[in-house]
Amino acid sequence: MDLITLNDGEARQLTFDQSMGGFAWTPDSRELVYDSNRRAGTNLWRIGVGGGKPERVTQTAGHPAFPAIAQRGNRLVY
């Protein structure tokens, strides 16, 4: 996934995952939550807009996909 800033219009690669589904921005727009088939199956991951190493958000027996985040109330649904 690439991130393009409005200030300069330059694209910067944010994730290097080969298989991604849906994604959602956190309410403060500082992180991106997405589903990806990394390592042992599909899970939800998050990464900051500055890049870095993705962190797993959840690990379930199912295949979480297409996350959505409430603007208020700290709720995540997939």
Side-chain angles (χ1 to χ4, degrees):
M1 172 154 304
D2 291 340
L3 177 69
I4 300 174
T5 61
L6 295 178
N7 294 339
D8 58 17
E10 291 291 320
R12 180 173 43 89
Q13 190 165 354
L14 191 58
T15 65
F16 295 87
D17 295 62
Q18 297 297 315
S19 176
M20 290 178 59
F23 63 92
W25 287 103
T26 57
D28 63 5
S29 299
R30 293 181 185 200
E31 293 182 307
L32 185 69
V33 175
Y34 62 96
D35 62 88
S36 178
N37 188 3
R38 313 175 93 224
R39 297 185 222 150
T42 302
N43 288 291
L44 295 180
W45 299 85
R46 71 180 181 185
I47 191 166
V49 296
K53 183 178 177 184
E55 296 178 33
R56 186 169 38 210
V57 174
T58 184
Q59 183 174 6
T60 66
H63 298 281
F66 303 103
I69 300 173
Q71 294 300 308
R72 289 183 231 124
N74 297 324
R75 300 201 189 258
L76 167 72
V77 64
Y78 54 88

